[in-house]
Amino acid sequence: MDLFLQQSANALALGGTYALLALGLAVVFSIMGLINFAHGELMTIAGYALMYCGLAGLPFVLSVPVAIAASMVAAVLMERIAFRPVRNGSGATMLITSFAVAMILQVLFQNLISPRSQVVQIPGFLSESVVIGGLVIGVNKIVAIVATVIMLLFLDRFMNHQKTGIAMRAAAEDFAVARLMGIRANTVIAGAFALSGLLAGVAAVLWVSQRGSVDPLMGFTPVLKAFIAAILGGLGSLRGAVAGGFALGFIEVYLAAFLPPELQEFRDPIGLGIVVMVLLFRPNGLIPSSVLKAVKV
């Protein structure tokens, strides 16, 4: 029982990171219909910002907001420079653009910084563990869970009570009608990218806090998992992104903990198989977007 609770805490921490990344993807997709595969590079930018802040001697508590701000600024610039000129193009055009942006940034990271993994200075207390009711839980896991809860509460309040958030929800429902009602497209889309940058920055801090390093491809794997989580939860659905992120986190951690040793090498295919089985019964995801509820598969 203790092992089960221990792994559940680990799953909450991992699933929370996936949920934040999946939310960032879902926010942009719900408004623009774009899967931004350069989202992972926003994580990497935040990671490098943490690294340089540490090298400059800035305290970690100040480095975190700087890293998150760097991710948000990069997201807004990405939208303005790369995506706005092709906004009226086809979905394939925007998808290829996102791949191009991701590859360009990866090459810049490799050539301007380093192709190798770089150490990030992390406070010692994040590597410690605490005992809660007989369970030994890493402080970084607790921080990840608490940060995820805070971010989800903030996002819920922002989307339901703030003018910009309400405008984003309206645009997600019907962008054309929202524009006719006076909502400015540039403002809403830039806000969506800034929000995705905020979520990517927070996820990057949590990810780096557990790894202690950053490299040019750091964001690739977690964002790929977040994409799977977004589909599992319901692409374009914000609540679905959260549900899919946590579901994928639990699947991965439980398989790593309880799968027999002789099957551990097949852990990833088995996990993807479970996701496919869920989608067979819920083709539009666990919590489908309202736009997709009427779609028959």
Side-chain angles (χ1 to χ4, degrees), residues 217-259:
L217 299 178
M218 182 190 78
F220 176 77
T221 298
V223 167
L224 180 61
K225 297 290 182 68
F227 176 56
I228 295 172
I231 293 176
L232 176 62
L235 195 57
S237 168
L238 301 187
R239 287 195 172 98
V242 175
F246 280 110
L248 186 61
F250 274 90
I251 290 171
E252 287 194 358
V253 171
Y254 284 165
L255 286 177
F258 302 115
L259 205 63

Side-chain angles (χ1 to χ4, degrees), residues 21 176 210 234 262 272 274:
L21 290 171
Q210 299 182 45
E262 60 272 15
L272 290 175
I274 294 173

Side-chain angles (χ1 to χ4, degrees), residues 113-236:
I113 302 177
S114 174
R116 299 180 180 179
S117 180
Q118 302 292 307
V119 175
V120 179
Q121 297 179 17
I122 303 297
F125 75 91
L126 288 175
S127 302
E128 297 175 357
S129 300
V130 296
V131 179
I132 302 177
L135 299 178
V136 180
I137 304 177
V139 173
N140 54 8
K141 300 288 194 304
I142 296 174
V143 170
I145 294 171
V146 172
T148 301
V149 171
I150 292 173
M151 285 303 301
L152 293 179
L153 291 175
F154 161 77
L155 188 64
D156 179 73
R157 181 162 185 81
F158 175 78
M159 297 299 285
N160 289 289
H161 300 282
Q162 297 296 319
K163 182 178 179 180
T164 304
I166 294 171
M168 288 182 187
R169 289 175 55 207
E173 289 291 330
D174 194 320
F175 203 177
V177 173
R179 293 184 69 177
L180 290 175
M181 296 179 68
I183 293 176
R184 297 180 62 182
N186 289 342
T187 301
V188 170
I189 293 175
F193 271 86
L195 185 57
S196 72
L198 169 65
L199 294 167
V202 174
V205 172
L206 300 179
W207 195 262
V208 171
S209 297
Q210 299 182 45
R211 297 174 38 130
S213 64
V214 59
D215 61 79
L217 299 178
M218 182 190 78
F220 176 77
T221 298
V223 167
L224 180 61
K225 297 290 182 68
F227 176 56
I228 295 172
I231 293 176
L232 176 62
L235 195 57

